[in-house]
Amino acid sequence: MKELIRTTDPTVIPYVTALLEGEGIALFVMDVHMSALEGSIGILPRRVMVRDQDLADAQVILRDNNIAIEG
């Protein structure tokens, strides 16, 4: 799996999830439970991972919806 996006914004993850699942792209959100370690203050980013073969398509979907991607 490849990292698609990393963010501390709690609204971006559900939006990205809805966009990708709507296009049939499987994803996995990592670091969801890290808030227990950080004290729920939102400083540790969450990551959205996609399959290697879906990375390019997923990046296009995010760019088309004005979601900034690193790189």
Side-chain angles (χ1 to χ4, degrees), residues 3-52:
E3 181 178 311
L4 174 64
I5 191 169
R6 178 185 300 232
T7 184
T8 57
D9 185 342
T11 63
V12 171
I13 300 293
Y15 185 48
V16 168
T17 299
L19 288 172
L20 296 180
E21 287 179 349
E23 294 293 330
I25 296 177
L27 62 103
F28 184 77
V29 181
M30 297 184 72
D31 307 320
V32 174
H33 301 290
M34 292 302 290
S35 64
L37 296 175
E38 71 180 20
S40 299
I41 58 176
I43 59 169
L44 295 176
R46 293 187 175 131
R47 298 174 286 160
V48 175
M49 309 295 284
V50 295
R51 294 181 299 181
D52 295 359

